[in-house]
Structures are given as structure tokens and as C-alpha cells.
Amino acid sequence: MKRFVLDTHTHTIASGHAYGTVTEMAKAASCAGLELLAITDHAPKLPGGTSEMYFRNFKVIDREMFGVKILMGVELNIIDYHGTVDLEEALLKRMELCIASLHTVCLAPGTKVENTRALLKVMENPYIQVIGHPDDGRYPIDYEAMVKGAKEQGVLIELNNSSLVAGGGRTETLPNLTEILKLCERYGQEIIVNTDSHFPSYVGQFEEAEKLLSQTGFPEELVVNTDVKRLERYLKK
């Protein structure tokens, strides 16, 4: 598989439980040979994190550092089973990339029907480009319905490298991601591989995800990380 040139799910000290600055993350991306980095700090409903003012002031941030293109976005929290997220539309319009994710501290896991409905409804939001880490076994999900919904709505499904690293809080991630990849291949659904970095040294480190892609024989043409232009099609959603 071609070299990955972008990482679009990373967190800075603004998220409250990460430990690098924007500048430090950008420098790490450059050292990892990336062409594009997205900073996607958690939206306000996650405890200890950002305020809305943080997202209002992205205009002051350089959009290229150390030779790396910088996108300033957000990892939104899905806060109910109808796909509501925790930033108002006026702010979503300003974001350069929006990930929507389920987090247990923001929405308790429901039934498979409820969890699946939450993902399908959030995909209908015109500002969402990526579904973040849908692999967590604490949230039972109808993965076939999820993949078909993403294909219909033009949303990327994330293969989260952090989910495959030992010691994380998510459960059953390997079998769940294996199933998700199988379904994405079946339906021709594109994926994006991200690190979910909370510290600079993890930026651009995709080893566990690349290993799974190799083991499953997942087709390279369905992975957007090899070309910035492929990502840009989704940014125009």
C-alpha cells in the first residue's frame, strides 16, 4: 500500500486530556512525513475540554506549519440517539473537518437499534465528514446498516489506530474492525485511517491499522490516506 500522507484525528491540550500544542503536533506531522494534519479537539460536552470560544477563533492559526497543511476541525460528541451533536450549526459551518463519535461520558450505550440510529442520523448532518471509532464493543451497532448509510451519505468511516493499541478503553475492537472492513470492501465504502493522537509522538503512526489492512487484504483504492486530493472530495460535502 502507498505511504499515508494525512492524519485527520488528533487532539491538543485544548481537549483537556491530551498533552501537545498545535505547533508541537504540526512539527510531529512533518517529522512523520505527512502532507496534511487535522486538529480535531473534542467539542464542549466532553468533560474537561474545550469551550465554544476555542472553535470561534481558528482564524488566528497558521494553515501551514513545517511544510504541513493544517486543518482546524472538531471531534463532535453524539449526545442522543437521534444524532444530535454538541456544536451549533453556525460553528459547524466554520469547521474545516468534522468527526462525529460516540463517547460513553456523553451518551450511555443504548440498544443496537438506538446506537445504529444515532450514527445513521448524524450522517445526515451535512457538516459531518467522518464517523469516528465506530468499533467500540460497548456500543452494539448494525455495521451493515452503518456502512450502507455512510455510502449513501458520502461519509468516511474511520479505522482508528488507537483502537487497536493495547490498554485502550474500547472493547472488541479487532473483531469489530475486521467486520467493518469486510463490509466496506463489499459495498465499496471508503475509509480513513487516523491515529487519534493525544501526544505528538503518535502523530502519523499507523502501524496497527496498517497491519490489519494487510491481514484483511483491504483494497488500497478504498483508503483515502494516500492522496490529499481524495480527502478534499469529502471536505466539500
Side-chain angles (χ1 to χ4, degrees):
M1 187 170 289
K2 294 179 182 178
R3 181 176 67 89
F4 289 173
V5 298
L6 53 92
D7 189 353
T8 66
H9 185 166
T10 67
H11 299 279
T12 73
I13 54 175
S15 284
H17 58 280
Y19 305 95
T21 65
V22 173
T23 303
E24 289 167 341
M25 300 297 272
K27 187 173 183 179
S30 179
C31 291
L34 297 183
E35 297 175 12
L36 181 145
L37 174 72
I39 302 295
T40 52
D41 282 308
H42 289 285
K45 289 293 184 182
L46 198 84
T50 56
S51 68
E52 288 193 1
M53 184 56 66
Y54 170 79
F55 297 101
R56 292 184 183 276
N57 201 38
F58 282 170
K59 64 181 180 294
V60 305
I61 297 175
D62 293 338
R63 292 309 198 268
E64 184 172 326
M65 303 182 200
F66 310 103
V68 178
K69 182 176 181 179
I70 305 298
L71 300 181
M72 295 304 298
V74 60
E75 183 180 12
L76 297 157
N77 300 293
I78 302 171
I79 58 175
D80 62 34
Y81 302 117
H82 301 287
T84 305
V85 294
D86 54 340
L87 277 185
E88 60 187 37
E89 184 177 2
L91 281 176
L92 293 179
K93 289 179 179 180
R94 299 187 184 190
M95 299 299 101
E96 293 165 344
L97 185 141
C98 293
I99 301 169
S101 304
L102 292 164
H103 295 106
T104 56
V105 292
C106 296
L107 181 65
T111 65
K112 178 180 283 192
V113 170
E114 289 173 328
N115 300 330
T116 303
R117 182 173 68 237
L119 293 185
L120 294 178
K121 294 299 290 184
V122 83
M123 290 178 194
E124 295 176 6
N125 187 318
Y127 302 104
I128 305 300
Q129 292 107 349
V130 179
I131 296 299
H133 50 73
D135 49 65
D136 190 345
R138 294 174 296 181
Y139 288 96
I141 291 167
D142 181 340
Y143 286 128
E144 184 167 20
M146 179 191 76
V147 170
K148 291 169 72 174
K151 181 73 173 179
E152 180 179 345
Q153 296 294 338
V155 175
L156 289 164
I157 290 176
E158 180 182 71
L159 169 51
N160 188 300
N161 190 81
S162 179
S163 294
L164 294 167
V165 176
R170 300 168 200 149
T171 66
E172 302 172 67
T173 55
L174 179 58
N176 288 343
L177 282 169
T178 301
E179 181 181 354
I180 290 169
L181 291 176
K182 180 179 178 181
L183 289 164
C184 286
E185 182 174 5
R186 179 187 303 172
Y187 291 104
Q189 166 63 33
E190 289 189 309
I191 68 166
I192 189 163
V193 184
N194 285 321
T195 62
D196 199 355
S197 297
H198 287 63
F199 192 73
S201 62
Y202 292 95
V203 173
Q205 305 304 310
F206 303 105
E207 289 84 355
E208 297 302 321
E210 289 178 310
K211 186 187 305 181
L212 181 58
L213 291 172
S214 177
Q215 290 172 347
T216 58
F218 192 75
E220 180 179 313
E221 60 268 22
L222 294 179
V223 183
V224 304
N225 295 71
T226 59
D227 189 340
V228 172
K229 290 182 179 179
R230 296 182 65 186
L231 173 67
E232 288 174 349
R233 290 189 286 111
Y234 289 90
L235 301 182
K236 296 174 182 176
K237 180 186 173 186

